[in-house]
Amino acid sequence: MARKDKKVDLDRERGIAPGLVAKTKKRLVVAAGRSHLALAGEVATALGTQLVPTEYRTSASGEILTRFEVSIRGCDVFLIQSFGPPVNEWLMELLIMLDAAKRASAKRITVVAPYYPYSRQDKKGRGREPISARLVSDLLRTAGADRVMSVDLHAAQIQGFFDGPVDHLFAKPVLMEHFQRTLSPEDRDKLTVVSPDTGRVRVADQWSDSLGAPLAIIHKRRDPNVANQVTVNEIVGRVEGRVCLLVDDMIDTGGTIVKAAQALKASGAERVIVAATHAVFSDPAVERLQDAAVDQVVVTDTIPLPAEKIFPGLTVLPIAPLLARAIREVFEDGSVTSMFDGAA
């Protein structure tokens, strides 16, 4: 089939070199690492496409090799990789896939990391500590990422670590729609939004405004020398006889959330509902979250949850529609900010 290239003659007066002009169109492709193929497949389906056929190998020594089985030359590649365990293996796989895409002449590569790895290491808490969230952004950039997209970063400042555009998405619309649909009028009348610590007050305040509910704050202390150890000191705000909605960005071992729920119940709360974006659920989170103080847990599927981490009272909401819409906005040079009423 003949090419429809247009010939351009030498034009010295206007400084135009002789050559050929080809009429090309942008092409969106979705690729994925192995960390959460189910989510990546749902995103591709929502966009009306399929995942790029990819070969994955892990050698006996643990070395990883990935290869795209079809050409992605000139494509706008959205590479999806989430970061449940084993985090370091999935991070290395992502870096290798970025290098493969760059060497395959992809036009632009956007890393879609629903859960950003090492996001809690965003600053130095003590001397001689790393800032690993910055290191991850440097690795992504060096490996070939032009853009990063993530959901509910643990700290908004992580956006500034990456030398390029960062699309910071929020799971709040997904979670909010669920609660607006499932909370009874009686529950809405007694609802109080609770921040599990002072670091999440701004987010909890936004939830409070959206739901028209009062705000309460739990003051906690964490021992910097002992991981995952939390002490609840006091509750600021009225919770007695209220339906408390605890909102957080992630649940790791569940220590913070469960101690907060216990403190709320001890202060007379009628029910405690937990809402979080990222269900990391490191042991012993599943056991802890089935504590009598926690009545319901609602999360999204940014991180894959195996069957053994599903328990009664847990609701998992799909994040794929949100990711697909954001990807389309980026690809079509639209507005991601418009998805969140100007907050992104």
Side-chain angles (χ1 to χ4, degrees):
M1 184 176 180
R3 292 174 59 92
K4 296 182 180 179
D5 294 337
K6 179 182 177 183
K7 182 179 179 181
V8 178
D9 294 326
L10 174 65
D11 188 337
R12 288 188 178 278
E13 290 185 5
R14 292 192 296 156
I16 298 176
L20 299 173
V21 177
K23 186 177 181 181
T24 60
K25 295 181 180 179
K26 290 205 301 182
R27 185 176 181 85
L28 183 158
V29 300
V30 181
R34 290 175 288 182
S35 66
H36 202 345
L37 283 170
L39 174 62
E42 290 169 7
V43 171
T45 299
L47 288 166
T49 185
Q50 301 174 24
L51 294 177
V52 175
T54 306
E55 177 186 358
Y56 310 96
R57 291 189 205 165
T58 301
S59 68
S61 65
E63 292 183 357
I64 296 169
L65 181 143
T66 62
R67 176 182 174 271
F68 300 107
E69 297 178 350
V70 292
S71 174
I72 57 171
R73 182 181 298 273
C75 293
D76 201 342
V77 178
F78 290 84
L79 180 52
I80 302 173
Q81 182 84 307
S82 196
F83 290 94
V87 174
N88 296 324
E89 182 173 339
W90 298 142
L91 178 58
M92 194 65 208
E93 181 179 79
L94 173 62
L95 297 174
I96 290 170
M97 293 189 76
L98 279 168
D99 188 71
K102 179 175 66 174
R103 295 178 189 279
S105 301
K107 186 174 184 180
R108 181 175 67 169
I109 310 170
T110 299
V111 168
V112 182
Y115 173 59
Y116 190 91
Y118 290 92
S119 59
R120 283 173 288 182
Q121 296 183 36
D122 61 290
K123 59 184 179 296
K124 289 177 65 175
R126 298 177 296 166
R128 301 178 298 281
E129 282 188 344
I131 303 179
S132 304
R134 170 59 193 264
L135 173 61
V136 170
S137 72
D138 288 343
L139 290 169
L140 296 178
R141 188 64 169 174
T142 301
D146 299 296
R147 189 181 197 104
V148 172
M149 181 182 294
S150 192
V151 182
D152 282 333
L153 293 168
H154 187 65
Q157 69 210 38
I158 293 173
Q159 297 172 82
F161 294 168
F162 186 76
D163 186 18
V166 176
D167 298 298
H168 186 195
L169 312 182
F170 304 104
K172 179 186 167 188
V174 177
L175 294 162
M176 185 72 69
E177 189 276 332
H178 170 79
F179 290 117
Q180 289 175 335
R181 178 168 43 85
T182 59
L183 286 175
S184 68
E186 293 78 14
D187 287 341
R188 292 289 294 272
D189 290 340
K190 295 185 288 185
L191 189 66
T192 293
V193 176
V194 182
S195 172
D197 55 48
T198 54
R200 305 301 295 173
V201 171
R202 180 174 174 271
V203 173
D205 190 45
Q206 293 172 345
W207 276 77
S208 174
D209 289 342
S210 298
L211 290 169
L215 176 67
I217 303 165
I218 294 178
H219 179 64
K220 73 175 185 182
R221 291 185 62 85
R222 187 186 293 274
D223 186 345
N225 297 306
V226 183
N228 305 119
Q229 291 291 328
V230 174
T231 301
V232 174
N233 283 347
E234 60 183 283
I235 298 172
V236 180
R238 176 172 166 259
V239 299
E240 185 177 0
R242 309 288 292 180
V243 175
C244 293
L245 177 60
L246 266 168
V247 293
D248 209 347
D249 65 317
M250 72 172 72
I251 303 174
D252 187 1
T253 61
T256 296
I257 287 293
V258 172
K259 286 204 172 184
Q262 291 170 344
L264 291 169
K265 284 288 183 74
S267 297
E270 181 181 308
R271 290 171 57 211
V272 176
I273 303 170
V274 175
T277 303
H278 309 298
V280 181
F281 286 6
S282 303
D283 288 335
V286 172
E287 179 183 347
R288 285 176 171 172
L289 291 169
Q290 296 181 75
D291 188 274
V294 180
D295 295 285
Q296 186 181 0
V297 179
V298 181
V299 297
T300 72
D301 61 350
T302 56
I303 297 173
L305 280 176
E308 61 270 20
K309 291 188 177 182
I310 304 295
F311 55 91
L314 175 68
T315 300
V316 182
L317 304 177
I319 202 71
L322 181 81
L323 293 173
R325 183 181 169 191
I327 288 172
R328 190 175 295 281
E329 291 291 348
V330 170
F331 177 68
E332 296 178 351
D333 299 321
S335 172
V336 173
T337 301
S338 65
M339 296 172 56
F340 307 101
D341 299 323

